Amino acid sequence: MTMTQHFLDVDDLSREELDDVLDDAEALKSQETGDDDNHALLPDKTLAMLFEKPSTRTRVSFETGMTQLGGHAIFLGPDDTQLGRGEPLSDTARTLSRYVDGIMVRVFNHADAVELAEYASVPIVNGLTDDAHPCQALADLLTIREHFDSFDVQAAWVGDGNNVAQSFVIGCAMVGIDLTVAHPEGYGIDDSVIDRANQFDGPNVTVTNDPTKAVADADVVYTDVWVSMGQEKERDEKLQAFEGFQVNEELLDEQAVLHCLPAHRGEEITGAVIESDHALVWDQAENRLHAQKALLTKLLS
């Protein structure tokens, strides 16, 4: 199968490609990592990882994934390249392309990921930007399919229309998940993302300002932090705006719960919900590893 070279958002994949990645992720998850015949699919391949934003799950899952696939990952933090000293992104992209087989980027500005993709001759994988988190969406969809055995579910997003939400909206639209998004006024999904989602066959995205209404018929409820990295100055304002949007025991009625982590317990979600039997957050976190391994195998092999 020929795949799109770069993965900047979920809809860079076709539906067929998305299904293939999820199928391969399930297969890799079921295999023993020591079985080189089945698992070492990227021998001698190297992934450069450019980080502007700190990370736990993104760094560890990509680095571990490349090791398990028989390859190698190189962590490049903000002070580890010449980008911090003024080298253009275009020069970095072209130089790294001569050394490595792929580049994962975790940056603030989505336009920076787009520029790297424009100049790189190897695949660029978006590990997170302020606009999108497509690798998280792959893990989210894998978790839902595992838990419910299909995508015949209704989902609700409760909270900020951030990067995670925007990629989740696109992912749900691609696989036909009926999704309702509940957010306070002024903190919704970008209109262009809703337009992209509504181009796919299946249920349209429903938007409301009422979290109770959003979760009423939902099988799975997803939330994320209200104050993302880089928004710390907006903290007091956002905490006030999001009053009433907490995912707690009063809001839920035994729905499965997703959170991409890290969680601010007591803000967007309670500790009791995360620790409940309905929370899928640990499977969801683990599935970052398997989904990304499947994606990297397709892109770099």
Side-chain angles (χ1 to χ4, degrees):
M1 181 182 69
T2 300
M3 284 193 58
T4 307
Q5 183 181 18
H6 303 301
F7 184 67
L8 301 184
D9 211 339
V10 189
D11 51 349
D12 282 341
L13 304 178
S14 68
R15 173 61 195 272
E16 178 186 4
E17 291 169 339
L18 176 57
D19 286 339
D20 284 345
V21 168
L22 297 179
D23 289 345
D24 290 348
E26 285 189 347
L28 287 167
K29 186 174 183 177
S30 69
Q31 294 171 4
E32 293 292 335
T33 55
D35 185 352
D36 290 346
D37 289 340
N38 291 324
H39 220 93
L41 302 174
L42 296 177
D44 302 321
K45 298 288 185 179
T46 300
L47 179 73
M49 305 189 302
L50 284 175
F51 279 82
E52 282 184 347
K53 291 187 173 187
S55 166
T56 300
R57 279 149 288 275
T58 297
R59 177 178 179 179
V60 176
S61 59
F62 270 106
E63 196 161 331
T64 300
M66 283 299 294
T67 299
Q68 291 181 357
L69 292 169
H72 178 61
I74 301 173
F75 174 81
L76 298 170
D79 299 323
D80 294 328
T81 73
Q82 296 298 327
L83 286 171
R85 301 176 182 87
E87 181 173 48
L89 287 165
S90 56
D91 291 3
T92 296
R94 286 179 287 199
T95 299
L96 287 178
S97 295
R98 301 297 181 102
Y99 302 142
V100 301
D101 302 285
I103 304 169
M104 189 281 294
V105 299
R106 184 177 172 91
V107 297
F108 286 93
N109 192 342
H110 190 79
D112 289 347
V114 173
E115 184 175 352
L116 286 163
E118 180 181 355
Y119 288 95
S121 58
V122 297
I124 299 293
V125 176
N126 180 2
L128 179 142
T129 68
D130 282 347
D131 290 352
H133 199 351
C135 290
Q136 181 64 56
L138 292 180
D140 300 338
L141 295 176
L142 179 61
T143 305
I144 290 172
R145 197 173 75 169
E146 278 183 341
H147 186 74
F148 295 99
D149 294 323
S150 76
F151 289 127
D152 185 19
V153 298
Q154 296 190 62
W157 176 276
V158 177
D160 193 21
N162 62 12
N163 47 6
V164 177
Q166 296 198 146
S167 289
F168 186 63
V169 164
I170 298 295
C172 285
M174 291 180 70
V175 301
I177 292 176
D178 189 353
L179 175 65
T180 301
V181 176
H183 63 79
E185 289 286 351
Y187 295 97
I189 307 294
D190 190 271
D191 288 343
S192 65
V193 173
I194 299 293
D195 290 342
R196 281 162 56 201
N198 286 336
Q199 291 176 2
F200 294 96
D201 293 334
N204 290 338
V205 181
T206 302
V207 178
T208 180
N209 300 126
D210 184 347
T212 302
K213 179 180 177 181
V215 307
D217 297 318
D219 302 298
V220 58
V221 177
Y222 198 165
T223 191
D224 190 17
V225 295
W226 295 336
V227 184
S228 299
M229 283 178 284
Q231 298 179 345
E232 288 77 13
K233 292 182 179 179
E234 304 171 34
R235 177 175 176 79
D236 291 342
E237 175 186 335
K238 295 196 80 171
L239 290 182
Q240 182 176 355
F242 282 87
E243 185 175 351
F245 282 79
Q246 184 185 75
V247 173
N248 54 38
E249 293 172 293
E250 290 72 32
L251 180 69
L252 299 176
D253 184 21
E254 298 189 351
Q255 295 97 331
V257 177
L258 297 176
H259 192 304
C260 67
L261 304 178
H264 293 167
R265 299 184 185 212
E267 291 184 10
E268 78 279 356
I269 194 168
T270 61
V273 169
I274 286 185
E275 298 297 341
S276 73
D277 293 338
H278 304 297
L280 305 179
V281 296
W282 313 117
D283 291 337
Q284 184 185 6
E286 178 187 343
N287 282 337
R288 286 289 304 276
L289 172 66
H290 308 300
Q292 290 161 189
K293 284 164 66 177
L295 177 70
L296 290 170
T297 299
K298 296 296 186 187
L299 291 175
L300 306 188
S301 61

